[in-house]
Amino acid sequence: MGEKLLRLEALLLNNNPRLVTPDAMREMTALGVSDEMAYALILAGAFGLRPDEDDDDRKLVYEFVMPSLHKLDVRDYADDPYYSSIIFPEIEDRGVRLTHGEYAPYEAFPCGDLRLEGSRLLAPMGFFDETFRFPMITKDGREWMTVTPNEIETMRDAISEAHGHVLVYGLGLGYYAYMTAIKPEVESVTVVECDEVIYNLFCKHLLPQFPEGKIVIVLQDAFAHAEERRFLRYNRPYDVVFTDLWHDVGDGIPLYRRMKGLQERYSAKGQIFRYWIEPSMCCY
């Protein structure tokens, strides 16, 4: 049943994330059901499910789809320190563009790691009831890097553990680096990034807005850096190592396994290693 949930969500997110419209939601909630229930029933109808007639469909909708759906509040994310502090200019360099994307009202998007509750696999998915804008990098016109509610939710635990000297593999738009750098218990953040265009865009337009003196960005391949430095800072272990080199589970698992191998080879006692969307990759 969990695999069927993943297939349905993949069809929705990849093919028609705006399937649920404001008009359809108004019609359904007028019947007195909650927003999450209305959303789930609209999806069920669109995918040919019959929860009122078929036991398997009823179980899928009420025990898997409903617990995975979350109506979110724009203000909960607009007030995030990163969103409220960092200004993103519209800049383009060699096909790489710093810009914004947006979620339309009721557009579906992933929002959290896959999780197992007993034998039940849940795949958190969110929606807003109003437009939500987010920073984004595109490459040759295609979405490449973002800071969306999904990134925020899937990095919360790793950010909460950050302390001392932090090593980050993968720069992106700097969300993890910023959120750890503003913590008083974090002394330094070293970020390793291999893409020169991203490195230059970030250093010119975003880094000046980050806490001064706390962040160092190294232009190097992450695995080469790990092999060379062995997770050490001036011959002392970094306290926390966070890796985010992938777009999703599909391309992430082989890179995750490769870095885990280096962790097993070189890590020191007491070091904390965290990997973006690790719980989701472990579910797969």
Short mmCIF file of all heavy atoms in Angstrom, two decimals, residues 170-210:
data_model
loop_
_atom_site.label_atom_id
_atom_site.label_comp_id
_atom_site.label_asym_id
_atom_site.label_seq_id
_atom_site.Cartn_x
_atom_site.Cartn_y
_atom_site.Cartn_z
N GLY A 170 28.30 20.64 -0.24
CA GLY A 170 27.19 21.09 -1.08
C GLY A 170 26.66 22.43 -0.61
O GLY A 170 26.21 22.56 0.53
N LEU A 171 26.72 23.44 -1.48
CA LEU A 171 26.34 24.80 -1.09
C LEU A 171 24.87 25.08 -1.33
O LEU A 171 24.18 25.61 -0.45
CB LEU A 171 27.20 25.80 -1.87
CG LEU A 171 26.89 27.28 -1.69
CD1 LEU A 171 27.02 27.71 -0.23
CD2 LEU A 171 27.82 28.12 -2.58
N GLY A 172 24.38 24.72 -2.53
CA GLY A 172 23.01 25.08 -2.88
C GLY A 172 22.82 26.58 -2.77
O GLY A 172 23.64 27.37 -3.22
N LEU A 173 21.73 26.98 -2.12
CA LEU A 173 21.46 28.39 -1.86
C LEU A 173 21.85 28.78 -0.44
O LEU A 173 21.49 29.86 0.03
CB LEU A 173 19.99 28.70 -2.12
CG LEU A 173 19.62 28.83 -3.60
CD1 LEU A 173 18.12 28.76 -3.81
CD2 LEU A 173 20.17 30.13 -4.18
N GLY A 174 22.57 27.89 0.24
CA GLY A 174 23.14 28.24 1.53
C GLY A 174 22.20 28.19 2.71
O GLY A 174 22.50 28.75 3.76
N TYR A 175 21.07 27.47 2.58
CA TYR A 175 20.11 27.46 3.69
C TYR A 175 20.72 26.84 4.95
O TYR A 175 20.69 27.43 6.03
CB TYR A 175 18.84 26.71 3.31
CG TYR A 175 17.81 26.73 4.44
CD1 TYR A 175 17.07 27.87 4.70
CD2 TYR A 175 17.62 25.62 5.26
CE1 TYR A 175 16.15 27.92 5.74
CE2 TYR A 175 16.71 25.65 6.29
CZ TYR A 175 15.97 26.80 6.53
OH TYR A 175 15.08 26.84 7.57
N TYR A 176 21.27 25.64 4.81
CA TYR A 176 21.86 24.99 5.98
C TYR A 176 23.01 25.82 6.55
O TYR A 176 23.13 26.00 7.77
CB TYR A 176 22.35 23.58 5.63
CG TYR A 176 23.02 22.87 6.77
CD1 TYR A 176 22.28 22.12 7.68
CD2 TYR A 176 24.40 22.95 6.96
CE1 TYR A 176 22.90 21.47 8.75
CE2 TYR A 176 25.02 22.31 8.02
CZ TYR A 176 24.26 21.58 8.91
OH TYR A 176 24.89 20.95 9.97
N ALA A 177 23.85 26.36 5.68
CA ALA A 177 25.00 27.16 6.14
C ALA A 177 24.52 28.39 6.91
O ALA A 177 25.07 28.73 7.97
CB ALA A 177 25.85 27.59 4.94
N TYR A 178 23.50 29.06 6.40
CA TYR A 178 23.00 30.27 7.08
C TYR A 178 22.38 29.91 8.43
O TYR A 178 22.68 30.55 9.46
CB TYR A 178 21.97 30.97 6.21
CG TYR A 178 21.40 32.21 6.87
CD1 TYR A 178 22.08 33.42 6.79
CD2 TYR A 178 20.20 32.16 7.58
CE1 TYR A 178 21.57 34.56 7.41
CE2 TYR A 178 19.69 33.29 8.20
CZ TYR A 178 20.38 34.49 8.10
OH TYR A 178 19.88 35.62 8.72
N MET A 179 21.52 28.90 8.44
CA MET A 179 20.79 28.56 9.66
C MET A 179 21.72 28.03 10.75
O MET A 179 21.43 28.19 11.95
CB MET A 179 19.70 27.55 9.35
CG MET A 179 18.59 28.10 8.46
SD MET A 179 17.70 29.49 9.20
CE MET A 179 16.80 28.64 10.51
N THR A 180 22.83 27.41 10.37
CA THR A 180 23.79 26.99 11.40
C THR A 180 24.68 28.16 11.82
O THR A 180 25.02 28.28 13.00
CB THR A 180 24.66 25.83 10.89
OG1 THR A 180 25.24 26.18 9.63
CG2 THR A 180 23.83 24.57 10.71
N ALA A 181 25.04 29.03 10.88
CA ALA A 181 25.94 30.15 11.20
C ALA A 181 25.31 31.12 12.19
O ALA A 181 26.03 31.77 12.96
CB ALA A 181 26.35 30.88 9.93
N ILE A 182 23.98 31.26 12.18
CA ILE A 182 23.35 32.20 13.11
C ILE A 182 23.20 31.63 14.51
O ILE A 182 22.80 32.35 15.43
CB ILE A 182 21.97 32.68 12.58
CG1 ILE A 182 20.99 31.52 12.48
CG2 ILE A 182 22.12 33.40 11.25
CD1 ILE A 182 19.57 31.95 12.09
N LYS A 183 23.55 30.36 14.68
CA LYS A 183 23.46 29.76 16.02
C LYS A 183 24.69 30.17 16.84
O LYS A 183 25.82 30.01 16.39
CB LYS A 183 23.40 28.23 15.91
CG LYS A 183 22.17 27.69 15.21
CD LYS A 183 22.19 26.18 15.16
CE LYS A 183 22.07 25.57 16.55
NZ LYS A 183 21.94 24.09 16.51
N PRO A 184 24.49 30.67 18.05
CA PRO A 184 25.64 31.09 18.86
C PRO A 184 26.58 29.96 19.22
O PRO A 184 27.78 30.18 19.44
CB PRO A 184 24.99 31.70 20.10
CG PRO A 184 23.59 31.19 20.12
CD PRO A 184 23.20 30.97 18.70
N GLU A 185 26.07 28.73 19.27
CA GLU A 185 26.93 27.60 19.63
C GLU A 185 27.76 27.09 18.46
O GLU A 185 28.60 26.19 18.63
CB GLU A 185 26.10 26.45 20.22
CG GLU A 185 25.04 25.87 19.30
CD GLU A 185 23.67 26.53 19.49
OE1 GLU A 185 23.62 27.77 19.65
OE2 GLU A 185 22.68 25.79 19.46
N VAL A 186 27.56 27.65 17.25
CA VAL A 186 28.37 27.30 16.09
C VAL A 186 29.49 28.31 15.95
O VAL A 186 29.26 29.51 15.86
CB VAL A 186 27.50 27.25 14.81
CG1 VAL A 186 28.39 27.13 13.57
CG2 VAL A 186 26.53 26.08 14.87
N GLU A 187 30.73 27.83 15.92
CA GLU A 187 31.90 28.70 15.83
C GLU A 187 32.31 29.00 14.39
O GLU A 187 32.76 30.11 14.08
CB GLU A 187 33.08 28.07 16.58
CG GLU A 187 32.82 27.86 18.07
CD GLU A 187 33.98 27.17 18.75
OE1 GLU A 187 35.12 27.67 18.63
OE2 GLU A 187 33.76 26.11 19.38
N SER A 188 32.18 28.02 13.50
CA SER A 188 32.55 28.24 12.09
C SER A 188 31.79 27.27 11.21
O SER A 188 31.37 26.19 11.66
CB SER A 188 34.06 28.05 11.89
OG SER A 188 34.41 26.68 11.98
N VAL A 189 31.60 27.67 9.95
CA VAL A 189 30.94 26.82 8.96
C VAL A 189 31.82 26.83 7.71
O VAL A 189 32.04 27.88 7.10
CB VAL A 189 29.53 27.32 8.61
CG1 VAL A 189 28.89 26.40 7.57
CG2 VAL A 189 28.66 27.43 9.85
N THR A 190 32.34 25.66 7.33
CA THR A 190 33.12 25.51 6.11
C THR A 190 32.28 24.77 5.09
O THR A 190 31.82 23.65 5.35
CB THR A 190 34.41 24.72 6.38
OG1 THR A 190 35.19 25.41 7.36
CG2 THR A 190 35.23 24.57 5.10
N VAL A 191 32.07 25.39 3.92
CA VAL A 191 31.24 24.80 2.87
C VAL A 191 32.11 24.44 1.68
O VAL A 191 32.90 25.26 1.22
CB VAL A 191 30.12 25.77 2.42
CG1 VAL A 191 29.20 25.09 1.41
CG2 VAL A 191 29.33 26.28 3.62
N VAL A 192 31.95 23.23 1.18
CA VAL A 192 32.71 22.76 0.02
C VAL A 192 31.75 22.67 -1.17
O VAL A 192 30.73 21.96 -1.11
CB VAL A 192 33.37 21.40 0.29
CG1 VAL A 192 34.14 20.93 -0.95
CG2 VAL A 192 34.28 21.48 1.51
N GLU A 193 32.07 23.38 -2.25
CA GLU A 193 31.22 23.43 -3.45
C GLU A 193 32.11 23.28 -4.68
O GLU A 193 33.15 23.93 -4.78
CB GLU A 193 30.45 24.75 -3.50
CG GLU A 193 29.72 25.02 -4.79
CD GLU A 193 28.68 23.96 -5.11
OE1 GLU A 193 27.91 23.57 -4.21
OE2 GLU A 193 28.65 23.52 -6.28
N CYS A 194 31.68 22.46 -5.64
CA CYS A 194 32.52 22.20 -6.81
C CYS A 194 32.14 23.02 -8.03
O CYS A 194 32.92 23.12 -8.98
CB CYS A 194 32.50 20.71 -7.16
SG CYS A 194 30.92 20.13 -7.81
N ASP A 195 30.94 23.61 -8.04
CA ASP A 195 30.47 24.33 -9.23
C ASP A 195 30.93 25.79 -9.16
O ASP A 195 30.49 26.55 -8.29
CB ASP A 195 28.95 24.25 -9.32
CG ASP A 195 28.45 24.76 -10.66
OD1 ASP A 195 28.59 25.99 -10.92
OD2 ASP A 195 27.90 23.97 -11.44
N GLU A 196 31.78 26.18 -10.10
CA GLU A 196 32.37 27.51 -10.05
C GLU A 196 31.34 28.61 -10.27
O GLU A 196 31.43 29.69 -9.66
CB GLU A 196 33.49 27.63 -11.09
CG GLU A 196 34.27 28.93 -11.00
CD GLU A 196 35.45 28.98 -11.94
OE1 GLU A 196 35.70 27.96 -12.64
OE2 GLU A 196 36.14 30.01 -11.98
N VAL A 197 30.35 28.37 -11.13
CA VAL A 197 29.33 29.39 -11.39
C VAL A 197 28.50 29.63 -10.14
O VAL A 197 28.23 30.77 -9.74
CB VAL A 197 28.44 29.00 -12.58
CG1 VAL A 197 27.35 30.04 -12.81
CG2 VAL A 197 29.28 28.85 -13.84
N ILE A 198 28.06 28.54 -9.50
CA ILE A 198 27.31 28.66 -8.25
C ILE A 198 28.15 29.37 -7.19
O ILE A 198 27.67 30.26 -6.47
CB ILE A 198 26.88 27.27 -7.74
CG1 ILE A 198 25.91 26.62 -8.71
CG2 ILE A 198 26.26 27.36 -6.34
CD1 ILE A 198 24.59 27.32 -8.85
N TYR A 199 29.40 28.96 -7.09
CA TYR A 199 30.33 29.56 -6.13
C TYR A 199 30.42 31.08 -6.34
O TYR A 199 30.30 31.86 -5.38
CB TYR A 199 31.70 28.91 -6.29
CG TYR A 199 32.82 29.52 -5.50
CD1 TYR A 199 33.10 29.10 -4.21
CD2 TYR A 199 33.63 30.52 -6.07
CE1 TYR A 199 34.16 29.66 -3.49
CE2 TYR A 199 34.68 31.07 -5.36
CZ TYR A 199 34.94 30.64 -4.07
OH TYR A 199 35.98 31.20 -3.36
N ASN A 200 30.59 31.51 -7.59
CA ASN A 200 30.75 32.94 -7.86
C ASN A 200 29.46 33.71 -7.60
O ASN A 200 29.48 34.81 -7.03
CB ASN A 200 31.21 33.14 -9.31
CG ASN A 200 32.65 32.70 -9.52
OD1 ASN A 200 33.46 32.70 -8.60
ND2 ASN A 200 32.97 32.30 -10.74
N LEU A 201 28.32 33.15 -8.04
CA LEU A 201 27.03 33.81 -7.79
C LEU A 201 26.79 33.98 -6.30
O LEU A 201 26.38 35.05 -5.83
CB LEU A 201 25.89 33.00 -8.41
CG LEU A 201 25.59 33.19 -9.89
CD1 LEU A 201 24.52 32.20 -10.33
CD2 LEU A 201 25.14 34.61 -10.17
N PHE A 202 27.05 32.92 -5.57
CA PHE A 202 26.78 32.95 -4.13
C PHE A 202 27.70 33.94 -3.43
O PHE A 202 27.24 34.76 -2.61
CB PHE A 202 26.97 31.55 -3.54
CG PHE A 202 26.58 31.46 -2.09
CD1 PHE A 202 25.28 31.16 -1.73
CD2 PHE A 202 27.51 31.70 -1.09
CE1 PHE A 202 24.91 31.09 -0.40
CE2 PHE A 202 27.15 31.64 0.24
CZ PHE A 202 25.85 31.33 0.59
N CYS A 203 28.99 33.88 -3.72
CA CYS A 203 29.95 34.75 -3.04
C CYS A 203 29.67 36.23 -3.33
O CYS A 203 29.87 37.09 -2.46
CB CYS A 203 31.38 34.39 -3.44
SG CYS A 203 31.95 32.82 -2.77
N LYS A 204 29.20 36.53 -4.52
CA LYS A 204 28.97 37.92 -4.90
C LYS A 204 27.65 38.46 -4.35
O LYS A 204 27.59 39.59 -3.86
CB LYS A 204 28.99 38.06 -6.41
CG LYS A 204 28.83 39.49 -6.90
CD LYS A 204 28.98 39.58 -8.41
CE LYS A 204 28.83 41.03 -8.89
NZ LYS A 204 28.98 41.13 -10.37
N HIS A 205 26.58 37.65 -4.40
CA HIS A 205 25.25 38.19 -4.14
C HIS A 205 24.63 37.75 -2.82
O HIS A 205 23.77 38.44 -2.28
CB HIS A 205 24.31 37.81 -5.29
CG HIS A 205 24.76 38.33 -6.62
ND1 HIS A 205 24.68 39.66 -6.96
CD2 HIS A 205 25.30 37.69 -7.69
CE1 HIS A 205 25.14 39.83 -8.18
NE2 HIS A 205 25.53 38.67 -8.64
N LEU A 206 25.02 36.60 -2.29
CA LEU A 206 24.38 36.10 -1.08
C LEU A 206 25.29 36.10 0.14
O LEU A 206 24.86 36.47 1.24
CB LEU A 206 23.83 34.68 -1.32
CG LEU A 206 22.78 34.55 -2.43
CD1 LEU A 206 22.28 33.11 -2.52
CD2 LEU A 206 21.62 35.50 -2.22
N LEU A 207 26.53 35.69 -0.03
CA LEU A 207 27.43 35.59 1.12
C LEU A 207 27.56 36.89 1.90
O LEU A 207 27.64 36.86 3.14
CB LEU A 207 28.81 35.10 0.66
CG LEU A 207 29.82 34.83 1.78
CD1 LEU A 207 29.29 33.78 2.77
CD2 LEU A 207 31.16 34.38 1.19
N PRO A 208 27.58 38.08 1.26
CA PRO A 208 27.67 39.32 2.05
C PRO A 208 26.50 39.52 3.01
O PRO A 208 26.60 40.34 3.94
CB PRO A 208 27.68 40.42 0.96
CG PRO A 208 28.27 39.74 -0.23
CD PRO A 208 27.71 38.35 -0.18
N GLN A 209 25.41 38.80 2.81
CA GLN A 209 24.27 38.91 3.71
C GLN A 209 24.32 37.90 4.86
O GLN A 209 23.47 37.93 5.74
CB GLN A 209 22.97 38.70 2.92
CG GLN A 209 22.78 39.64 1.75
CD GLN A 209 21.50 39.35 1.00
OE1 GLN A 209 20.41 39.44 1.56
NE2 GLN A 209 21.61 38.99 -0.28
N PHE A 210 25.32 37.02 4.85
CA PHE A 210 25.45 35.99 5.88
C PHE A 210 26.27 36.54 7.05
O PHE A 210 26.97 37.54 6.91
CB PHE A 210 26.11 34.74 5.29
CG PHE A 210 25.18 33.86 4.51
CD1 PHE A 210 24.29 34.39 3.58
CD2 PHE A 210 25.19 32.49 4.69
CE1 PHE A 210 23.42 33.57 2.86
CE2 PHE A 210 24.35 31.66 3.97
CZ PHE A 210 23.46 32.19 3.06
#
